[in-house]
PDB file of all heavy atoms in Angstrom:
ATOM      1  N   ARG H 169     -10.680  14.593   0.632  1.00 95.00           N
ATOM      2  CA  ARG H 169     -10.844  14.402   2.069  1.00 95.00           C
ATOM      3  C   ARG H 169     -11.997  13.445   2.342  1.00 95.00           C
ATOM      4  O   ARG H 169     -13.156  13.816   2.321  1.00 95.00           O
ATOM      5  CB  ARG H 169     -11.130  15.745   2.749  1.00 95.00           C
ATOM      6  CG  ARG H 169      -9.928  16.672   2.851  1.00 95.00           C
ATOM      7  CD  ARG H 169      -8.974  16.187   3.901  1.00 95.00           C
ATOM      8  NE  ARG H 169      -7.896  17.149   4.138  1.00 95.00           N
ATOM      9  CZ  ARG H 169      -6.869  16.919   4.919  1.00 95.00           C
ATOM     10  NH1 ARG H 169      -6.768  15.751   5.554  1.00 95.00           N
ATOM     11  NH2 ARG H 169      -5.930  17.812   5.076  1.00 95.00           N
ATOM     12  N   ILE H 170     -11.668  12.191   2.626  1.00 94.00           N
ATOM     13  CA  ILE H 170     -12.714  11.187   2.857  1.00 94.00           C
ATOM     14  C   ILE H 170     -12.937  10.914   4.338  1.00 94.00           C
ATOM     15  O   ILE H 170     -13.694  10.022   4.700  1.00 94.00           O
ATOM     16  CB  ILE H 170     -12.384   9.873   2.132  1.00 94.00           C
ATOM     17  CG1 ILE H 170     -11.025   9.335   2.557  1.00 94.00           C
ATOM     18  CG2 ILE H 170     -12.459  10.071   0.628  1.00 94.00           C
ATOM     19  CD1 ILE H 170     -10.744   7.936   2.083  1.00 94.00           C
ATOM     20  N   LEU H 171     -12.270  11.688   5.202  1.00 93.00           N
ATOM     21  CA  LEU H 171     -12.572  11.677   6.624  1.00 93.00           C
ATOM     22  C   LEU H 171     -12.001  12.952   7.233  1.00 93.00           C
ATOM     23  O   LEU H 171     -11.029  13.507   6.728  1.00 93.00           O
ATOM     24  CB  LEU H 171     -12.015  10.429   7.329  1.00 93.00           C
ATOM     25  CG  LEU H 171     -10.514  10.172   7.330  1.00 93.00           C
ATOM     26  CD1 LEU H 171      -9.870  10.726   8.601  1.00 93.00           C
ATOM     27  CD2 LEU H 171     -10.235   8.675   7.258  1.00 93.00           C
ATOM     28  N   PRO H 172     -12.600  13.458   8.300  1.00 93.00           N
ATOM     29  CA  PRO H 172     -12.114  14.707   8.897  1.00 93.00           C
ATOM     30  C   PRO H 172     -10.714  14.521   9.489  1.00 93.00           C
ATOM     31  O   PRO H 172     -10.485  13.591  10.273  1.00 93.00           O
ATOM     32  CB  PRO H 172     -13.143  14.998  10.002  1.00 93.00           C
ATOM     33  CG  PRO H 172     -14.343  14.192   9.633  1.00 93.00           C
ATOM     34  CD  PRO H 172     -13.828  12.970   8.951  1.00 93.00           C
ATOM     35  N   PRO H 173      -9.756  15.397   9.142  1.00 91.00           N
ATOM     36  CA  PRO H 173      -8.402  15.249   9.692  1.00 91.00           C
ATOM     37  C   PRO H 173      -8.329  15.613  11.167  1.00 91.00           C
ATOM     38  O   PRO H 173      -7.476  15.114  11.893  1.00 91.00           O
ATOM     39  CB  PRO H 173      -7.579  16.224   8.840  1.00 91.00           C
ATOM     40  CG  PRO H 173      -8.560  17.252   8.382  1.00 91.00           C
ATOM     41  CD  PRO H 173      -9.852  16.524   8.205  1.00 91.00           C
ATOM     42  N   PHE H 174      -9.220  16.507  11.607  1.00 92.00           N
ATOM     43  CA  PHE H 174      -9.314  16.914  13.011  1.00 92.00           C
ATOM     44  C   PHE H 174     -10.778  16.826  13.431  1.00 92.00           C
ATOM     45  O   PHE H 174     -11.675  17.153  12.661  1.00 92.00           O
ATOM     46  CB  PHE H 174      -8.812  18.351  13.203  1.00 92.00           C
ATOM     47  CG  PHE H 174      -7.554  18.655  12.451  1.00 92.00           C
ATOM     48  CD1 PHE H 174      -7.588  19.465  11.323  1.00 92.00           C
ATOM     49  CD2 PHE H 174      -6.344  18.117  12.845  1.00 92.00           C
ATOM     50  CE1 PHE H 174      -6.438  19.739  10.617  1.00 92.00           C
ATOM     51  CE2 PHE H 174      -5.187  18.380  12.143  1.00 92.00           C
ATOM     52  CZ  PHE H 174      -5.236  19.200  11.022  1.00 92.00           C
ATOM     53  N   TYR H 175     -10.996  16.436  14.676  1.00 93.00           N
ATOM     54  CA  TYR H 175     -12.372  16.242  15.111  1.00 93.00           C
ATOM     55  C   TYR H 175     -13.154  17.560  15.079  1.00 93.00           C
ATOM     56  O   TYR H 175     -14.351  17.589  14.765  1.00 93.00           O
ATOM     57  CB  TYR H 175     -12.403  15.641  16.520  1.00 93.00           C
ATOM     58  CG  TYR H 175     -13.768  15.141  16.895  1.00 93.00           C
ATOM     59  CD1 TYR H 175     -14.284  13.985  16.306  1.00 93.00           C
ATOM     60  CD2 TYR H 175     -14.561  15.822  17.812  1.00 93.00           C
ATOM     61  CE1 TYR H 175     -15.543  13.519  16.625  1.00 93.00           C
ATOM     62  CE2 TYR H 175     -15.821  15.361  18.143  1.00 93.00           C
ATOM     63  CZ  TYR H 175     -16.308  14.204  17.544  1.00 93.00           C
ATOM     64  OH  TYR H 175     -17.567  13.755  17.856  1.00 93.00           O
ATOM     65  N   ILE H 178     -15.305  18.696  11.975  1.00 93.00           N
ATOM     66  CA  ILE H 178     -16.682  18.271  11.744  1.00 93.00           C
ATOM     67  C   ILE H 178     -17.620  19.467  11.895  1.00 93.00           C
ATOM     68  O   ILE H 178     -18.648  19.568  11.222  1.00 93.00           O
ATOM     69  CB  ILE H 178     -17.083  17.147  12.726  1.00 93.00           C
ATOM     70  CG1 ILE H 178     -16.224  15.903  12.470  1.00 93.00           C
ATOM     71  CG2 ILE H 178     -18.556  16.807  12.622  1.00 93.00           C
ATOM     72  CD1 ILE H 178     -16.457  14.785  13.457  1.00 93.00           C
ATOM     73  N   ARG H 181     -15.350  22.776   9.260  1.00 92.00           N
ATOM     74  CA  ARG H 181     -15.218  22.444   7.842  1.00 92.00           C
ATOM     75  C   ARG H 181     -14.186  23.310   7.116  1.00 92.00           C
ATOM     76  O   ARG H 181     -14.394  23.760   5.993  1.00 92.00           O
ATOM     77  CB  ARG H 181     -16.573  22.552   7.133  1.00 92.00           C
ATOM     78  CG  ARG H 181     -17.643  21.660   7.737  1.00 92.00           C
ATOM     79  CD  ARG H 181     -17.246  20.194   7.721  1.00 92.00           C
ATOM     80  NE  ARG H 181     -18.150  19.373   8.491  1.00 92.00           N
ATOM     81  CZ  ARG H 181     -18.991  18.484   7.958  1.00 92.00           C
ATOM     82  NH1 ARG H 181     -19.043  18.332   6.650  1.00 92.00           N
ATOM     83  NH2 ARG H 181     -19.768  17.759   8.737  1.00 92.00           N
ATOM     84  N   THR H 184     -12.490  19.942   5.485  1.00 94.00           N
ATOM     85  CA  THR H 184     -13.416  18.908   5.029  1.00 94.00           C
ATOM     86  C   THR H 184     -14.621  19.550   4.345  1.00 94.00           C
ATOM     87  O   THR H 184     -15.082  20.619   4.750  1.00 94.00           O
ATOM     88  CB  THR H 184     -13.910  18.069   6.227  1.00 94.00           C
ATOM     89  OG1 THR H 184     -12.797  17.723   7.046  1.00 94.00           O
ATOM     90  CG2 THR H 184     -14.600  16.802   5.750  1.00 94.00           C
ATOM     91  N   GLU H 201     -21.691  11.197   2.048  1.00 96.00           N
ATOM     92  CA  GLU H 201     -21.091  11.317   3.373  1.00 96.00           C
ATOM     93  C   GLU H 201     -21.030  12.787   3.758  1.00 96.00           C
ATOM     94  O   GLU H 201     -20.401  13.596   3.078  1.00 96.00           O
ATOM     95  CB  GLU H 201     -19.677  10.724   3.375  1.00 96.00           C
ATOM     96  CG  GLU H 201     -18.958  10.841   4.693  1.00 96.00           C
ATOM     97  CD  GLU H 201     -19.681  10.118   5.820  1.00 96.00           C
ATOM     98  OE1 GLU H 201     -19.547   8.883   5.931  1.00 96.00           O
ATOM     99  OE2 GLU H 201     -20.389  10.815   6.602  1.00 96.00           O
ATOM    100  N   ASP H 202     -21.716  13.117   4.880  1.00 96.00           N
ATOM    101  CA  ASP H 202     -21.653  14.494   5.382  1.00 96.00           C
ATOM    102  C   ASP H 202     -20.818  14.602   6.652  1.00 96.00           C
ATOM    103  O   ASP H 202     -20.683  15.686   7.227  1.00 96.00           O
ATOM    104  CB  ASP H 202     -23.065  15.046   5.632  1.00 96.00           C
ATOM    105  CG  ASP H 202     -23.834  14.243   6.680  1.00 96.00           C
ATOM    106  OD1 ASP H 202     -23.227  13.368   7.342  1.00 96.00           O
ATOM    107  OD2 ASP H 202     -25.039  14.489   6.824  1.00 96.00           O
ATOM    108  N   PHE H 203     -20.256  13.482   7.114  1.00 95.00           N
ATOM    109  CA  PHE H 203     -19.313  13.428   8.235  1.00 95.00           C
ATOM    110  C   PHE H 203     -19.941  13.802   9.580  1.00 95.00           C
ATOM    111  O   PHE H 203     -19.220  13.924  10.570  1.00 95.00           O
ATOM    112  CB  PHE H 203     -18.087  14.322   7.962  1.00 95.00           C
ATOM    113  CG  PHE H 203     -17.432  14.056   6.640  1.00 95.00           C
ATOM    114  CD1 PHE H 203     -17.617  14.925   5.577  1.00 95.00           C
ATOM    115  CD2 PHE H 203     -16.641  12.934   6.451  1.00 95.00           C
ATOM    116  CE1 PHE H 203     -17.025  14.693   4.352  1.00 95.00           C
ATOM    117  CE2 PHE H 203     -16.034  12.687   5.222  1.00 95.00           C
ATOM    118  CZ  PHE H 203     -16.236  13.566   4.170  1.00 95.00           C
ATOM    119  N   GLN H 204     -21.239  13.973   9.631  1.00 94.00           N
ATOM    120  CA  GLN H 204     -21.885  14.348  10.890  1.00 94.00           C
ATOM    121  C   GLN H 204     -21.917  13.189  11.885  1.00 94.00           C
ATOM    122  O   GLN H 204     -21.992  13.415  13.099  1.00 94.00           O
ATOM    123  CB  GLN H 204     -23.320  14.833  10.614  1.00 94.00           C
ATOM    124  CG  GLN H 204     -23.416  16.132   9.838  1.00 94.00           C
ATOM    125  CD  GLN H 204     -22.950  17.332  10.635  1.00 94.00           C
ATOM    126  OE1 GLN H 204     -22.758  17.249  11.844  1.00 94.00           O
ATOM    127  NE2 GLN H 204     -22.759  18.456   9.959  1.00 94.00           N
ATOM    128  N   GLY H 205     -21.872  11.972  11.392  1.00 92.00           N
ATOM    129  CA  GLY H 205     -21.990  10.826  12.287  1.00 92.00           C
ATOM    130  C   GLY H 205     -20.675  10.364  12.888  1.00 92.00           C
ATOM    131  O   GLY H 205     -20.644   9.369  13.627  1.00 92.00           O
ATOM    132  N   TYR H 206     -19.573  11.073  12.613  1.00 94.00           N
ATOM    133  CA  TYR H 206     -18.276  10.648  13.144  1.00 94.00           C
ATOM    134  C   TYR H 206     -18.194  10.886  14.647  1.00 94.00           C
ATOM    135  O   TYR H 206     -18.664  11.909  15.169  1.00 94.00           O
ATOM    136  CB  TYR H 206     -17.146  11.399  12.440  1.00 94.00           C
ATOM    137  CG  TYR H 206     -16.696  10.734  11.150  1.00 94.00           C
ATOM    138  CD1 TYR H 206     -17.531  10.701  10.040  1.00 94.00           C
ATOM    139  CD2 TYR H 206     -15.455  10.126  11.058  1.00 94.00           C
ATOM    140  CE1 TYR H 206     -17.136  10.085   8.869  1.00 94.00           C
ATOM    141  CE2 TYR H 206     -15.044   9.510   9.885  1.00 94.00           C
ATOM    142  CZ  TYR H 206     -15.894   9.482   8.801  1.00 94.00           C
ATOM    143  OH  TYR H 206     -15.493   8.866   7.644  1.00 94.00           O
ATOM    144  N   THR H 207     -17.577   9.916  15.347  1.00 93.00           N
ATOM    145  CA  THR H 207     -17.333  10.016  16.784  1.00 93.00           C
ATOM    146  C   THR H 207     -15.834   9.933  17.035  1.00 93.00           C
ATOM    147  O   THR H 207     -15.059   9.571  16.129  1.00 93.00           O
ATOM    148  CB  THR H 207     -18.035   8.866  17.530  1.00 93.00           C
ATOM    149  OG1 THR H 207     -17.372   7.618  17.204  1.00 93.00           O
ATOM    150  CG2 THR H 207     -19.514   8.774  17.147  1.00 93.00           C
ATOM    151  N   PRO H 208     -15.372  10.258  18.247  1.00 92.00           N
ATOM    152  CA  PRO H 208     -13.928  10.161  18.524  1.00 92.00           C
ATOM    153  C   PRO H 208     -13.355   8.756  18.337  1.00 92.00           C
ATOM    154  O   PRO H 208     -12.134   8.594  18.215  1.00 92.00           O
ATOM    155  CB  PRO H 208     -13.837  10.603  19.997  1.00 92.00           C
ATOM    156  CG  PRO H 208     -14.999  11.509  20.181  1.00 92.00           C
ATOM    157  CD  PRO H 208     -16.101  10.906  19.346  1.00 92.00           C
ATOM    158  N   GLU H 209     -14.214   7.737  18.293  1.00 91.00           N
ATOM    159  CA  GLU H 209     -13.737   6.360  18.087  1.00 91.00           C
ATOM    160  C   GLU H 209     -13.525   6.021  16.603  1.00 91.00           C
ATOM    161  O   GLU H 209     -12.920   4.997  16.279  1.00 91.00           O
ATOM    162  CB  GLU H 209     -14.726   5.359  18.683  1.00 91.00           C
ATOM    163  CG  GLU H 209     -14.712   5.277  20.208  1.00 91.00           C
ATOM    164  CD  GLU H 209     -15.351   6.494  20.852  1.00 91.00           C
ATOM    165  OE1 GLU H 209     -16.340   7.000  20.289  1.00 91.00           O
ATOM    166  OE2 GLU H 209     -14.832   6.950  21.893  1.00 91.00           O
ATOM    167  N   ASP H 210     -14.021   6.882  15.717  1.00 89.00           N
ATOM    168  CA  ASP H 210     -13.969   6.574  14.281  1.00 89.00           C
ATOM    169  C   ASP H 210     -12.647   7.015  13.659  1.00 89.00           C
ATOM    170  O   ASP H 210     -12.602   7.795  12.706  1.00 89.00           O
ATOM    171  CB  ASP H 210     -15.136   7.250  13.556  1.00 89.00           C
ATOM    172  CG  ASP H 210     -16.474   6.668  13.962  1.00 89.00           C
ATOM    173  OD1 ASP H 210     -16.516   5.466  14.255  1.00 89.00           O
ATOM    174  OD2 ASP H 210     -17.460   7.429  13.998  1.00 89.00           O
ATOM    175  N   VAL H 211     -11.537   6.516  14.219  1.00 89.00           N
ATOM    176  CA  VAL H 211     -10.220   6.871  13.709  1.00 89.00           C
ATOM    177  C   VAL H 211      -9.938   6.109  12.412  1.00 89.00           C
ATOM    178  O   VAL H 211     -10.163   4.903  12.322  1.00 89.00           O
ATOM    179  CB  VAL H 211      -9.139   6.554  14.756  1.00 89.00           C
ATOM    180  CG1 VAL H 211      -7.753   6.891  14.228  1.00 89.00           C
ATOM    181  CG2 VAL H 211      -9.416   7.319  16.047  1.00 89.00           C
ATOM    182  N   TRP H 212      -9.490   6.807  11.404  1.00 89.00           N
ATOM    183  CA  TRP H 212      -9.161   6.231  10.097  1.00 89.00           C
ATOM    184  C   TRP H 212     -10.354   5.480   9.500  1.00 89.00           C
ATOM    185  O   TRP H 212     -10.193   4.451   8.847  1.00 89.00           O
ATOM    186  CB  TRP H 212      -7.938   5.307  10.187  1.00 89.00           C
ATOM    187  CG  TRP H 212      -6.648   6.061  10.183  1.00 89.00           C
ATOM    188  CD1 TRP H 212      -6.219   6.926  11.116  1.00 89.00           C
ATOM    189  CD2 TRP H 212      -5.624   6.042   9.169  1.00 89.00           C
ATOM    190  NE1 TRP H 212      -4.996   7.456  10.762  1.00 89.00           N
ATOM    191  CE2 TRP H 212      -4.609   6.924   9.582  1.00 89.00           C
ATOM    192  CE3 TRP H 212      -5.467   5.355   7.977  1.00 89.00           C
ATOM    193  CZ2 TRP H 212      -3.454   7.143   8.837  1.00 89.00           C
ATOM    194  CZ3 TRP H 212      -4.323   5.566   7.231  1.00 89.00           C
ATOM    195  CH2 TRP H 212      -3.323   6.448   7.657  1.00 89.00           C
ATOM    196  N   LYS H 213     -11.519   6.005   9.717  1.00 92.00           N
ATOM    197  CA  LYS H 213     -12.730   5.424   9.132  1.00 92.00           C
ATOM    198  C   LYS H 213     -13.072   6.193   7.862  1.00 92.00           C
ATOM    199  O   LYS H 213     -13.421   7.368   7.921  1.00 92.00           O
ATOM    200  CB  LYS H 213     -13.888   5.512  10.130  1.00 92.00           C
ATOM    201  CG  LYS H 213     -15.227   5.046   9.573  1.00 92.00           C
ATOM    202  CD  LYS H 213     -16.333   5.316  10.577  1.00 92.00           C
ATOM    203  CE  LYS H 213     -17.700   5.035   9.974  1.00 92.00           C
ATOM    204  NZ  LYS H 213     -18.803   5.371  10.909  1.00 92.00           N
ATOM    205  N   PRO H 214     -12.975   5.565   6.692  1.00 94.00           N
ATOM    206  CA  PRO H 214     -13.239   6.290   5.447  1.00 94.00           C
ATOM    207  C   PRO H 214     -14.715   6.612   5.277  1.00 94.00           C
ATOM    208  O   PRO H 214     -15.579   6.039   5.947  1.00 94.00           O
ATOM    209  CB  PRO H 214     -12.759   5.318   4.364  1.00 94.00           C
ATOM    210  CG  PRO H 214     -12.845   3.972   4.989  1.00 94.00           C
ATOM    211  CD  PRO H 214     -12.590   4.171   6.457  1.00 94.00           C
ATOM    212  N   ALA H 215     -15.003   7.529   4.359  1.00 94.00           N
ATOM    213  CA  ALA H 215     -16.380   7.947   4.090  1.00 94.00           C
ATOM    214  C   ALA H 215     -17.255   6.738   3.794  1.00 94.00           C
ATOM    215  O   ALA H 215     -16.809   5.745   3.215  1.00 94.00           O
ATOM    216  CB  ALA H 215     -16.405   8.924   2.919  1.00 94.00           C
ATOM    217  N   SER H 216     -18.524   6.831   4.167  1.00 94.00           N
ATOM    218  CA  SER H 216     -19.435   5.696   4.048  1.00 94.00           C
ATOM    219  C   SER H 216     -19.595   5.236   2.600  1.00 94.00           C
ATOM    220  O   SER H 216     -19.735   4.030   2.345  1.00 94.00           O
ATOM    221  CB  SER H 216     -20.802   6.059   4.637  1.00 94.00           C
ATOM    222  OG  SER H 216     -21.352   7.189   3.974  1.00 94.00           O
ATOM    223  N   PHE H 217     -19.563   6.159   1.629  1.00 95.00           N
ATOM    224  CA  PHE H 217     -19.761   5.729   0.245  1.00 95.00           C
ATOM    225  C   PHE H 217     -18.571   4.912  -0.257  1.00 95.00           C
ATOM    226  O   PHE H 217     -18.724   4.037  -1.111  1.00 95.00           O
ATOM    227  CB  PHE H 217     -20.032   6.933  -0.675  1.00 95.00           C
ATOM    228  CG  PHE H 217     -18.858   7.842  -0.904  1.00 95.00           C
ATOM    229  CD1 PHE H 217     -17.967   7.618  -1.937  1.00 95.00           C
ATOM    230  CD2 PHE H 217     -18.666   8.949  -0.091  1.00 95.00           C
ATOM    231  CE1 PHE H 217     -16.899   8.466  -2.150  1.00 95.00           C
ATOM    232  CE2 PHE H 217     -17.608   9.810  -0.303  1.00 95.00           C
ATOM    233  CZ  PHE H 217     -16.711   9.558  -1.326  1.00 95.00           C
ATOM    234  N   VAL H 218     -17.379   5.167   0.295  1.00 95.00           N
ATOM    235  CA  VAL H 218     -16.210   4.353  -0.046  1.00 95.00           C
ATOM    236  C   VAL H 218     -16.402   2.930   0.471  1.00 95.00           C
ATOM    237  O   VAL H 218     -16.177   1.952  -0.249  1.00 95.00           O
ATOM    238  CB  VAL H 218     -14.924   4.980   0.540  1.00 95.00           C
ATOM    239  CG1 VAL H 218     -13.743   4.025   0.397  1.00 95.00           C
ATOM    240  CG2 VAL H 218     -14.625   6.314  -0.132  1.00 95.00           C
ATOM    241  N   VAL H 219     -16.827   2.818   1.720  1.00 94.00           N
ATOM    242  CA  VAL H 219     -17.064   1.500   2.315  1.00 94.00           C
ATOM    243  C   VAL H 219     -18.168   0.765   1.556  1.00 94.00           C
ATOM    244  O   VAL H 219     -18.052  -0.435   1.253  1.00 94.00           O
ATOM    245  CB  VAL H 219     -17.443   1.650   3.801  1.00 94.00           C
ATOM    246  CG1 VAL H 219     -17.799   0.287   4.405  1.00 94.00           C
ATOM    247  CG2 VAL H 219     -16.305   2.297   4.578  1.00 94.00           C
TER     248      VAL H 219
END
Side-chain angles (χ1 to χ4, degrees):
R169 287 286 187 186
I170 57 170
L171 61 95
F174 317 107
Y175 193 72
I178 296 175
R181 302 302 170 111
T184 314
E201 178 61 80
D202 61 9
F203 308 104
Q204 293 291 348
Y206 274 68
T207 69
E209 286 73 37
D210 293 327
V211 179
W212 279 64
K213 175 186 172 184
S216 58
F217 70 89
V218 170
V219 176

